[in-house]
Amino acid sequence: MAKQLKWILLAVLALIWGSSFILIKKGLVGLNPFQLGSLRIIFAALFLLLIGFKSLSKIPLQQWKFIALTAMFGTFIPAYCFALAETNIDSSITSILNSLTPLNALILGILIFKLEYKRAQVLGVIIGFIGTTLLILNGAMHHPSQNYGYATFAILGALCYGINVNLIKKYLSDLSPLSITTGNFLVMSIPASIILYFSGFFDIVHLEKVQHSAGFILILGIVGTGVANILFFKLIQMSSPVFATTVTYLIPIVAFFWGVLDGELLTFVQYIGAAIILFGVFLSSKK
């Protein structure tokens, strides 16, 4: 049953997070990246504090430092990084760069966190990375007008995710996913509120375009961030950091379909890359 559940969670997360990139794109119509990132965190924090406030008492005092670290690497920095990336590159391409996460999780897990991995997992991540590279290079070829310097923000976000999953697995495996997630967003809500205040959001909040964009970020904050993080932490605890982060291989496939509906191009080579990625997911899921 546990084996089936981890695949169900993986599929649900792929659908939620695959849809997140198009929501970011829609949010950027009326918001700048700092307003968007801050609202995403604040909306998620309000939702999680409503449903999980009591779970905060289950976090031992000595573990709050790890709650703060996972908040920083797991959501705070990436929330702004991916919004900045999408100001200059397509949502589907940003989701592809997010697929670097399992590679980062594997390397950091071995070098820093001393976690053990089997050869099949290493091979799976490498194969997935090859598929990702195909997608990136082909996307860059077909979008010469886009500034791929902004891709570094997405790569930085993926690096943060790689650090985060290893921190959770090593230091927070004994806490409930709801406790971790609620604690994360309680910590993040203060700096996010300060950034939002100084971003100029309250000077433009009366504009219809801004309110419309904020509606997309409300969905992103509650479902794509709050609910998804609870499911993700549960997945990490019941499987492994590498298996959990293979969700980032499935995310581009969902994001591609949203991108196509929104007028973004999908090439035959990108379909091939997606197929290679799925094979990598299968191999890297070995326990």
Side-chain angles (χ1 to χ4, degrees):
M1 184 64 187
K3 189 175 181 181
Q4 290 175 330
L5 181 59
K6 75 176 185 179
W7 282 101
I8 292 168
L9 287 177
L10 190 74
V12 171
L13 282 168
L15 287 171
I16 293 173
W17 277 335
S19 304
S20 293
F21 293 92
I22 197 69
L23 289 172
I24 292 171
K25 183 178 180 179
K26 297 298 184 185
L28 286 169
V29 172
L31 302 167
N32 68 39
F34 297 101
Q35 293 164 347
L36 189 154
S38 297
L39 283 174
R40 179 180 183 177
I41 291 167
I42 291 166
F43 286 145
L46 291 172
F47 166 72
L48 287 163
L49 286 169
L50 276 175
I51 67 167
F53 184 76
K54 290 181 180 178
S55 70
L56 293 174
S57 61
K58 298 176 183 176
I59 303 174
L61 191 60
Q62 69 272 17
Q63 285 191 297
W64 273 99
K65 59 181 179 291
F66 297 116
I67 291 292
L69 278 173
T70 54
M72 181 65 67
F73 290 113
T75 301
F76 191 77
I77 296 174
Y80 297 105
C81 281
F82 285 106
L84 282 163
E86 284 199 41
T87 59
N88 274 269
I89 58 177
D90 280 344
S91 62
S92 54
I93 302 301
T94 306
S95 72
I96 295 163
L97 295 171
N98 188 48
S99 299
L100 295 169
T101 299
L103 180 65
N104 294 331
L106 181 69
I107 295 169
L108 292 166
I110 294 170
L111 296 180
I112 299 174
F113 298 94
K114 309 302 180 188
L115 298 180
E116 294 181 4
Y117 294 93
K118 290 188 174 181
R119 240 183 297 183
Q121 288 179 305
V122 177
L123 182 62
V125 173
I126 291 170
I127 289 172
F129 181 67
I130 290 168
T132 300
T133 304
L134 258 182
L135 289 165
I136 292 169
L137 293 177
N138 193 257
M141 241 166 49
H142 285 82
H143 300 88
S145 62
Q146 294 181 2
N147 183 354
Y148 267 73
Y150 277 75
T152 54
F153 287 113
I155 293 168
L156 176 60
L159 179 64
C160 288
Y161 285 151
I163 295 170
N164 180 54
V165 292
N166 281 292
L167 285 170
I168 293 166
K169 188 68 177 179
K170 191 169 179 67
Y171 298 111
L172 298 175
S173 281
D174 55 334
L175 293 182
S176 75
L178 183 59
S179 295
I180 298 169
T181 314
T182 307
N184 280 168
F185 282 89
L186 176 64
V187 169
M188 285 186 286
S189 61
I190 298 170
S193 298
I194 293 170
I195 292 171
L196 184 66
Y197 178 78
F198 287 105
S199 70
F201 172 73
F202 295 103
D203 297 327
I204 59 170
V205 69
H206 63 281
L207 299 175
E208 187 179 345
K209 181 172 72 171
V210 174
Q211 293 172 1
H212 190 60
S213 290
F216 286 114
I217 305 309
L218 177 65
I219 299 168
L220 179 65
I222 293 175
V223 181
T225 307
V227 173
N229 272 342
I230 295 171
L231 298 178
F232 186 57
F233 293 159
K234 176 66 177 174
L235 183 60
I236 293 170
Q237 290 175 341
M238 70 185 299
S239 58
S240 71
V242 170
F243 179 80
T245 55
T246 54
V247 68
T248 57
Y249 287 159
L250 300 173
I251 286 169
I253 299 170
V254 178
F256 281 154
F257 285 108
W258 282 116
V260 169
L261 289 174
D262 202 52
E264 296 178 9
L265 294 174
L266 183 66
T267 68
F268 177 73
V269 175
Q270 289 174 320
Y271 279 113
I272 297 296
I276 294 170
I277 284 169
L278 285 173
F279 182 59
V281 171
F282 173 74
L283 286 179
S284 63
S285 69
K286 302 290 184 183
K287 180 88 172 159

